[in-house]
């Protein structure tokens, strides 16, 4: 039973490390999505300013517009990656919780078995004492 508990502890610890790594990846993906969204907003402000400028240049507005569309696509992809990383983190967290619950249940079973074994040993010792006492009484 002890070996099973140690194995489960190792599995749970590995799962906890996986959760930490997934959390770090999710955080990085969320930060990247936020940076990309900020870039989109900055380009949108630049595009608005270029359109309203008295020095309106169609080539400049077209270039800003193309950069804005590219940044928007990148921001959408980054948001999707962030959602995927959140899903991975949730799945790994659920896996860790299941392993933790299994480990706790196994520990409870092991403690119960140890109590039962100790009780049976005690009952066997008491039965042996009673048997000897009965045998001694019959010999007299």
């Amino acid at each position: 039973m002890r070996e099973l508990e140690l194995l489960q502890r190792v599995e749970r610890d590995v799962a906890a490390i996986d959760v930490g790594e997934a959390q770090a990846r999710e955080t990085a993906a969320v930060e990247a999505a936020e940076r990309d969204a900020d870039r989109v907003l900055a380009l949108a402000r630049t595009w608005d300013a270029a359109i309203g400028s008295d020095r309106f240049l169609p080539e400049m507005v077209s270039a800003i517009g193309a950069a804005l569309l590219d940044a928007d696509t990148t921001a959408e992809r980054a948001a999707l990656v962030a959602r995927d990383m959140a899903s991975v983190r949730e799945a790994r967290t659920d896996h860790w919780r299941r392993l933790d619950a299994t480990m706790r249940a196994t520990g409870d079973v092991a403690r119960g078995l140890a109590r039962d074994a100790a009780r049976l040993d005690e009952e066997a010792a008491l039965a042996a004492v009673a048997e000897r006492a009965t045998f001694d009484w019959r010999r007299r």
Side-chain angles (χ1 to χ4, degrees):
M1 245 357 216
R2 181 77 179 139
E3 291 173 358
L4 179 61
E5 287 181 65
L6 289 174
L7 178 63
Q8 287 177 336
R9 184 170 305 200
V10 168
E11 287 177 345
R12 187 188 65 173
D13 291 348
V14 168
I17 291 168
D18 288 345
V19 168
E21 289 174 355
Q23 179 70 41
R25 278 190 246 119
E26 178 189 10
T27 300
V30 166
E31 290 171 356
E34 289 170 353
R35 280 192 307 273
D36 289 341
D38 289 344
R39 184 167 184 261
V40 167
L41 290 175
L43 284 169
R45 282 190 214 108
T46 303
W47 190 77
D48 285 343
I51 293 263
S53 172
D54 55 340
R55 296 183 298 159
F56 177 81
L57 294 172
E59 297 83 18
M60 183 175 76
V61 173
S62 292
I64 294 170
L68 177 60
L69 286 174
D70 183 50
D72 189 46
T73 302
T74 302
E76 287 175 5
R77 268 191 257 131
L80 289 174
V81 168
R83 276 185 290 229
D84 288 345
M85 289 296 113
S87 296
V88 168
R89 181 197 40 81
E90 289 170 7
R92 290 188 177 174
T93 300
D94 290 343
H95 178 67
W96 178 86
R97 286 184 182 132
R98 283 191 303 275
L99 286 174
D100 188 56
T102 300
M103 189 179 114
R104 290 176 194 273
T106 301
D108 292 344
V109 168
R111 285 186 291 281
L113 289 173
R115 278 192 305 270
D116 291 346
R119 183 179 46 79
L120 290 173
D121 287 346
E122 185 178 337
E123 288 174 3
L126 289 173
V129 168
E131 182 68 30
R132 277 190 303 247
T134 303
F135 180 74
D136 288 343
W137 178 75
R138 290 183 184 162
R139 274 184 36 203
R140 292 183 186 180

